[in-house]
Amino acid sequence: MSLDREIKSKLYFIETWGCQMNEEDSEKLSGMLKTQGYTPTENRDEASIVIFNTCCVRENAENKVFGNLGMLKKQKEKNPDLIIALCGCMMQQKGMADEILKRFPYVDIIFGTHNSYKFPEYLHRVQTDGVQIKEIFDKEAEIVEGVPIDRKSSVKAFVTIMYGCNNFCTYCVVPFVRGRERSRKPEDIIKEIKELVAQGYKEVTLLGQNVNSYGKGLEEEISFADLLRRINEIDGLERIRFMTSHPKDLNIEVIHAIRDCDKLCEQIHLPVQSGSDAILKVMNRHYTKEYYLDLAKKIREEIPDVTFTTDIIVGFPGETEEDFLETIDLVKKVQYDSAFTFIYSRRNHTPADRMENQIPDDIKHDRFNRLVEVVNEGIVASNKAAEGKVYEVLVEGTSKNDETKLTGRTRNGKLVNFDGCKEMIGKLVNVKIVEAKSFSLVGEIIK
């Protein structure tokens, strides 16, 4: 084998759809491959291993997987040694793996969310024995520590503190594809963060489907607020963020931890999903609009500089125009700094999929457009209010749109672009905001 061909045979490509937890799973897959001498590539056509890490929360994400698998057929015919692997939440859906193998028989490896740590074993078996592998654990496995991880950033990192969800919102498949809630031991979390700090990382984002449930199932009695205070004591760490918080579970102890701990950032992702009590009840969210607004008010009283981000679904079964207007009213009152807005997408095996009063697509799209307009008005107003103020910014790298500019975020999550030298990456700098744009800020460093 020529050197050029040997190098090409050690290239891998990973495509990731979905949430931050999927992103971290892909970082682990990348880490495992790198320890075996593989190198990542952004050119899928030259890769010898192609991995699709899938999501099933939205139908659109599934359609992208099918489309991309179809395009790989010619690449597989041209290079029979190409290894195609599928993993992630989509694979955990009942019957999905068999459907994929029937439609795309050239897929080599399929595995789920609970056994991704076994990928090197699967890869070895395919390469040495020429077998096709489909292995999906129906039940959540024990948490496996010490899996290699290849971080995308050298400044900030995701750290999963728990897996799974017990809430069973009627639109959501997460409890079925990610399993029930399991918490990592606090000593393992703190060890990982200390190692990150030793490598030069300045910020961590703690991940979980519902971080406020942290501690369940552990022998040691520890709450999420307790964990936050412990992590805040780690020397060298500059910033702590977390997501996601279920509104029904974000208690006063967590609010006080954010208020009291100097490293905890004043930004909270608080998914509301709807502003209508009727829809929230059918969604099985266990709170009301009034409760949510009172919670946001209480948080602002304790943490004046806090910003909120959220998730909102429009067009949920049975949603009337009045229900939708309740959501619009809530958005105006909270004034989010960012919102992930979604058109309701039917998901198999969820109660919402079986509801008879599905909303027509044209109405869903109309409401979605109206919602986005109101959300964006709030973001623009919030950014405008930042003009003339000075913020501490963690420099994360160069701007995606202009590599001559540096980019970073304030403690409360606002994206700022400014002039500076690359030596500043990874440092905290004070930046004065000179111009507010629609979804970012322009600043200048204060020396």
Side-chain angles (χ1 to χ4, degrees):
M1 181 185 293
S2 69
L3 179 61
D4 182 60
R5 186 177 176 186
E6 185 177 355
I7 291 172
K8 286 186 177 180
S9 71
K10 300 289 282 188
L11 296 176
Y12 67 91
F13 173 90
I14 302 178
E15 182 95 14
T16 308
W17 291 274
C19 66
Q20 288 83 358
M21 296 196 78
N22 264 25
E23 290 180 28
E24 196 203 34
D25 287 344
S26 288
E27 289 181 343
K28 289 178 178 176
L29 290 168
S30 182
M32 288 185 275
L33 284 166
K34 279 192 170 182
T35 60
Q36 296 185 61
Y38 288 88
T39 302
T41 177
E42 295 184 4
N43 183 354
R44 190 168 77 186
D45 293 337
E46 69 177 10
S48 60
I49 301 173
V50 172
I51 303 172
F52 291 155
N53 189 355
T54 66
C55 173
C56 61
V57 173
R58 305 276 174 254
E59 184 180 15
N60 187 45
E62 289 188 0
N63 291 337
K64 286 181 180 178
V65 173
F66 293 136
N68 278 273
L69 280 175
M71 288 188 287
L72 281 180
K73 184 177 181 179
K74 288 185 179 179
Q75 189 175 341
K76 183 77 168 182
E77 290 172 348
K78 185 177 179 181
N79 176 19
D81 293 330
L82 171 68
I83 293 174
I84 301 171
L86 288 179
C87 62
C89 297
M90 188 174 164
M91 300 305 104
Q92 291 289 151
Q93 291 182 288
K94 187 176 181 179
M96 179 59 71
D98 291 333
E99 179 186 342
I100 286 172
L101 290 177
K102 183 177 180 180
R103 292 177 58 181
F104 310 99
Y106 45 86
V107 171
D108 299 285
I109 307 172
I110 292 180
F111 56 101
T113 58
H114 305 315
N115 57 321
S116 59
Y117 66 93
K118 296 186 69 176
F119 176 65
E121 173 194 327
Y122 303 146
L123 179 62
H124 177 73
R125 286 170 55 192
V126 170
Q127 291 173 326
T128 57
D129 302 333
V131 296
Q132 187 180 59
I133 292 174
K134 182 195 76 172
E135 186 163 286
I136 299 163
F137 293 176
D138 291 333
K139 294 184 179 180
E140 51 271 19
E142 293 295 319
I143 294 174
V144 177
E145 297 289 348
V147 177
I149 186 163
D150 175 33
R151 311 275 182 183
K152 287 185 178 180
S153 168
S154 61
V155 177
K156 57 181 185 177
F158 294 131
V159 175
T160 298
I161 64 169
M162 62 178 298
Y163 299 89
C165 183
N166 292 355
N167 285 305
F168 292 93
C169 300
T170 56
Y171 53 82
C172 187
V173 297
V174 168
F176 305 102
V177 298
R178 285 280 179 181
R180 305 300 179 267
E181 291 172 352
R182 295 103 64 210
S183 299
R184 291 179 67 194
K185 295 177 182 178
E187 57 267 29
D188 290 330
I189 296 168
I190 290 170
K191 179 175 180 260
E192 180 179 351
I193 296 173
K194 285 183 176 179
E195 289 172 351
L196 287 168
V197 171
Q199 295 168 30
Y201 286 85
K202 303 295 184 183
E203 176 181 302
V204 296
T205 298
L206 310 177
L207 296 181
Q209 301 297 339
N210 181 15
V211 291
N212 300 106
S213 293
Y214 176 79
K216 290 182 180 178
L218 293 176
E219 291 182 8
E220 177 184 357
E221 188 172 327
I222 180 172
S223 68
F224 181 51
D226 295 332
L227 179 69
L228 290 175
R229 292 183 184 274
R230 289 193 197 182
I231 295 173
N232 191 69
E233 295 174 359
I234 296 176
D235 290 335
L237 183 63
E238 298 287 354
R239 290 182 173 182
I240 306 165
R241 302 186 191 276
F242 60 84
M243 63 188 312
T244 296
S245 285
H246 196 300
K248 73 178 175 64
D249 297 321
L250 200 159
N251 57 35
I252 194 66
E253 286 78 18
V254 173
I255 296 171
H256 286 168
I258 301 170
R259 179 197 65 188
D260 299 339
C261 296
D262 61 318
K263 296 172 185 177
L264 272 161
C265 292
E266 297 81 10
Q267 180 187 26
I268 298 178
H269 187 68
L270 199 62
V272 67
Q273 306 302 0
S274 175
S276 161
D277 288 350
I279 296 300
L280 288 170
K281 184 175 182 179
V282 180
M283 285 180 167
N284 196 38
R285 293 293 287 175
H286 296 287
Y287 56 83
T288 64
K289 176 183 178 181
E290 181 181 6
Y291 173 90
Y292 186 97
L293 289 173
D294 285 346
L295 177 61
K297 181 182 178 182
K298 186 183 301 180
I299 293 170
R300 280 207 165 101
E301 288 172 350
E302 297 287 346
I303 314 162
D305 295 330
V306 73
T307 59
F308 291 107
T309 59
T310 196
D311 300 339
I312 303 173
I313 297 172
V314 296
F316 188 79
E319 182 188 69
T320 65
E321 177 68 11
E322 290 72 23
D323 292 324
F324 173 70
L325 292 177
E326 289 288 342
T327 299
I328 294 293
D329 178 66
L330 182 141
V331 168
K332 288 179 178 179
K333 287 176 177 174
V334 177
Q335 195 176 61
Y336 296 102
D337 262 48
S338 177
F340 297 96
T341 50
F342 303 98
I343 293 173
Y344 169 71
S345 177
R346 298 178 73 164
R347 301 285 74 198
N348 290 335
H349 312 300
T350 62
D353 182 50
R354 299 189 293 271
M355 295 178 184
E356 296 181 356
N357 46 357
Q358 302 290 327
I359 306 299
D361 285 346
D362 58 337
I363 295 177
K364 288 196 285 189
H365 283 278
D366 174 67
R367 289 176 183 170
F368 176 81
N369 292 335
R370 289 156 61 194
L371 172 65
V372 169
E373 185 176 346
V374 174
V375 167
N376 290 347
E377 286 173 359
I379 295 171
V380 170
S382 176
N383 284 347
K384 191 68 178 175
E387 286 185 341
K389 296 181 180 179
V390 176
Y391 291 93
E392 177 193 82
V393 173
L394 175 60
V395 186
E396 298 175 6
T398 56
S399 171
K400 291 181 180 179
N401 298 323
D402 184 354
E403 291 191 356
T404 66
K405 303 281 187 183
L406 295 179
T407 190
R409 290 189 183 271
T410 64
R411 286 177 59 92
N412 58 9
K414 292 182 180 293
L415 182 66
V416 187
N417 297 308
F418 50 94
D419 290 322
C421 57
K422 291 186 177 180
E423 288 73 20
M424 292 179 177
I425 294 174
K427 292 182 168 54
L428 293 166
V429 296
N430 290 322
V431 177
K432 182 178 181 180
I433 306 305
V434 296
E435 182 186 356
K437 294 195 172 182
S438 297
F439 303 106
S440 63
L441 303 171
V442 178
E444 58 184 25
I445 293 176
I446 302 298
K447 298 180 180 178

